[in-house]
Amino acid sequence: MSENTDRLGRLSELGVSIWLDDLSRENLRDGGLKSLIDDKHVVGVTTNPTIFASALSKGNAYDEQLATLTEDGAGVDDAVLAITTDDVREACDLFSDVYRATNGEDGRVSIEVDPRLAHDTEKTLEAARLLWETVDRPNLFVKIPATQEGLPAITRAIGEGISVNVTLIFSLDRYRAVANAYLDGLERAHAAGIDLSTIRSVASFFVSRVDSEIDKRLDAIGTDAAAALKGKAGIANARLAYQAFEEIFATPRWEELASLGAHPQRPLWASTGVKDPSYSDTMYVDGLIVGRVVNTMPGKTLDAAANHAEVPGDTVHGTYAESRKILDDLERMGVPYVEVTDQLEREGVEKFEVSWDELLQTVRSALDDTTAGATA
């Protein structure tokens, strides 16, 4: 076993499930994704509108399907649904052995509801049902954003037996609300006679975007004390989310659900690609090593972690007091936590909406080009 593989293997041994934050038909068909499963301990995949927009804009892997969709007279929305769910279904099948080997904990592939619905509970739930039924694989995760309107959709989806990846979580209060929505959903599912052991969920807590926004505000303050706090908020915030996870999933309410076969909603570290080149490119891997979590990494971060991640052991337990002090110091410095996390949620939804529009435009142009080619 190579030194590179040892680093990722060690992460896995410590309880960090390594998922890739990327998917394309090209890496499904050329064996690239399979090699990551075999050689780099990758046990899941996450997608989002940005990833699909990028995949569709490159190469010709989608040409044949686009031609078929054009012949069938498919509209843009139907074409996007067909293309994205086909990729995700194929990825689910690729990860089916991992899914079985981990008793359903890993081997998961996530697909996101249309982000334009992030503030509409009913339409988000309808979209989640459609994705769940269309992909039709037990190892699917439907991604629902953790907006205020998303919370009841999460509860109702879980209550119907749909496994959910809750995305765009930035604040500790919202993380607790997400966990509570999950527990509410499990209680609904049990009341409906659904086997709780068939339901899984992760809570995607975003990391690097927190540092990007807070660092910008610290630069504006411009003092040495402000500079000393740069690059610390994202990891501190995530570590405190893990503390909340431990508290929530040790309550009598949870123990009752666990006795009925329920699984805890694991924290997932998202946005782990480093934005500031002056920081270590594995800082959001090295600083968040702990059991019962997922770290979903872009390809560059995965390669960096394989090459030079520092994996000394658990880097979360024993840090809670220090992490709380960092957030308190930022507040005293004039960086308001709630204002920052609210802004990041708004921007997160907006960014995915922009990517979704790009995805629609890419597919629309491809359908038009295919039509033009057929009639030329």
Side-chain angles (χ1 to χ4, degrees), residues 334-356:
V335 180
Y337 178 82
V338 173
E339 180 182 305
V340 168
T341 55
D342 285 353
Q343 175 184 328
L344 289 170
E345 180 183 299
R346 287 193 306 273
E347 291 177 349
V349 172
E350 290 167 1
K351 287 176 181 177
F352 280 165
E353 286 176 343
V354 169
S355 293
W356 191 263

Side-chain angles (χ1 to χ4, degrees), residues 149-164:
E149 299 84 357
L151 294 173
I154 293 160
T155 291
R156 291 168 63 185
I158 293 292
E160 294 178 12
I162 297 172
S163 291
V164 175

Side-chain angles (χ1 to χ4, degrees), residues 224-237:
D224 289 345
L229 287 169
K230 287 183 64 177
K232 294 183 177 180
I235 288 175
N237 197 36

Side-chain angles (χ1 to χ4, degrees), residues 7 10 26 42 74 82 85 108 141 201 207 221 245 275 291 313 319:
R7 287 190 175 87
R10 175 68 173 148
E26 185 177 8
V42 169
T85 55
R108 296 281 173 172
F141 268 141
S201 183
V207 189
I221 293 169
F245 160 75
K275 309 292 193 291
T319 68

Side-chain angles (χ1 to χ4, degrees), residues 81 92-93 108 122 135 166 200 230 263 280-281 303 352:
L81 177 68
C92 283
D93 291 343
R108 296 281 173 172
E122 291 298 329
V135 175
V166 184
R200 295 276 186 167
K230 287 183 64 177
H263 303 283
S280 163
D281 55 2
D303 290 342
F352 280 165

